[in-house]
Amino acid sequence: MLEPTTLHLAWQRVRANRGGPGGDAVTLAQFERRLDEEIATLRRSIVTGRYRPGPLRRIAVPKSDGGERILAIPCVRDRVAQTALLLVLQPLVEQRQSHASFGYRPARGVAEALDAVRRAHAAGLSWTLEADIVQYFASVPHHRLLGELAIWIEAEDVLCLLAQWLAGFSDGGVGIAQGAPISPLLANLYLHPMDRLLVAAGYVPVRYADDFVVLARGAHAVEQAWRMTEGILAERGLGLKDRKTRIVAPGVAFTFLGQTLCAPVLSHIPRLI
């Protein structure tokens, strides 16, 4: 499943990120001094089914709103394993992921997400639902996530690895570790159904991880989009932040992904191309 070349490439990416040690206190430098042996041992443990993740190191990072974000840093060997699996999985699931999702994906990012919002606004979807999910990474239910991952991934050994990492992220059966290489992919896949349902209903969602907007053509439509979004998230064990969720009318500025945006007040509704 994870060939030596893939594990070595994963190591290069982990080293390039220059992160600190996980809960076992092993540093990048220490891992590199025994690199070939570490990679061989890691692969052998995965192949034989004896692999077990090490402890996470948790650190609090201040947020701009005065709160804290808890990062959970896996051990170096686990970051290598997760990055290697990410290298294998991402090309397989990328072609099936929602076009509404822009975070943590190849050739997509903040600039592309902002451009999608501007294009929707210019095309007449000038009413905006500005939304944010309550403690998204800490709230994802493992059982539901694993059930849906089985739709994307057929290999039982891969699902077993993912289940082990999720169990290590939290002993309460909920939560994805912010700071783990595999977490962004898992976070995107869990919100994929929300994206697809909103698109099928005629709305244009633009999402970057758990930060998203939904574009609609009128005041009534955007109110319906809000109710629909709340219902979808509630069914998935999630909720919207009251203080960060609001409807923005045309001509009113709002901030999305650090950029101030404002839908034009249109005298006519252009066709969406």
Side-chain angles (χ1 to χ4, degrees):
M1 176 181 61
L2 297 180
E3 297 301 322
T5 53
T6 305
L7 288 166
H8 277 280
L9 178 58
W11 156 249
Q12 292 171 17
R13 295 199 177 189
V14 170
R15 180 177 58 183
N17 287 334
R18 302 173 65 181
D24 63 357
V26 175
T27 66
L28 292 171
Q30 291 171 329
F31 190 89
E32 188 170 26
R33 280 198 290 270
R34 304 174 61 246
L35 181 60
D36 289 340
E37 182 180 347
E38 291 281 7
I39 293 293
T41 301
L42 175 59
R43 183 173 186 273
R44 186 164 54 250
S45 68
I46 293 173
V47 169
T48 59
R50 290 182 292 194
Y51 169 83
R52 297 295 182 271
L56 302 172
R57 179 171 64 94
R58 301 185 187 276
I59 57 175
V61 178
K63 297 171 62 175
S64 58
D65 61 4
E68 289 184 335
R69 174 180 291 107
I70 303 300
L71 298 184
I73 313 300
C75 302
V76 174
R77 65 188 290 270
D78 298 326
R79 300 207 298 272
V80 171
Q82 290 183 26
T83 302
L85 187 58
L86 182 63
L87 290 171
V88 173
L89 289 182
Q90 196 157 47
L92 299 178
V93 303
E94 179 62 26
Q95 59 188 332
R96 296 167 55 196
Q97 285 197 64
S98 165
H99 293 302
S101 171
F102 291 86
Y104 313 114
R105 295 179 61 187
R108 284 174 166 250
V110 171
E112 290 76 17
L114 293 172
D115 184 58
V117 174
R118 294 187 183 102
R119 284 189 283 107
H121 280 164
L125 288 90
S126 54
W127 286 78
T128 305
L129 172 64
E130 185 184 7
D132 200 0
I133 300 174
V134 178
Q135 296 184 334
Y136 174 58
F137 279 83
S139 302
V140 174
H142 295 174
H143 180 74
R144 177 71 176 268
L145 173 59
L146 285 169
E148 296 192 0
L149 287 174
I151 299 172
W152 296 80
I153 303 164
E154 295 182 0
E156 289 293 334
D157 52 352
V158 172
L159 292 172
C160 181
L161 270 179
L162 293 170
Q164 287 191 60
W165 288 327
L166 285 172
F169 292 166
S170 166
D171 58 6
V174 295
I176 300 173
Q178 288 187 270
I182 200 67
S183 292
L185 178 67
L186 300 180
N188 271 338
L189 294 184
Y190 193 67
L191 288 179
H192 172 84
M194 180 188 74
D195 299 339
R196 296 295 295 271
L197 288 169
L198 287 170
V199 170
Y203 306 114
V204 175
V206 178
R207 181 175 59 79
Y208 192 100
D210 58 329
D211 194 3
F212 68 98
V213 294
V214 183
L215 295 308
R217 288 191 177 274
H220 179 64
V222 79
E223 290 171 359
Q224 289 183 314
W226 189 340
R227 289 194 293 271
M228 181 177 181
T229 301
E230 277 189 317
I232 294 170
L233 291 175
E235 193 272 331
R236 305 181 70 72
L238 304 169
L240 290 172
K241 292 181 183 177
D242 290 337
R243 64 186 179 87
K244 284 195 172 184
T245 301
R246 62 173 183 146
I247 290 174
V248 184
V252 178
F254 66 98
T255 301
F256 181 53
L257 302 178
Q259 183 72 38
T260 300
L261 301 172
C262 184
V265 179
L266 301 172
S267 58
H268 68 285
I269 303 298
R271 293 180 62 188
L272 180 60
I273 299 176

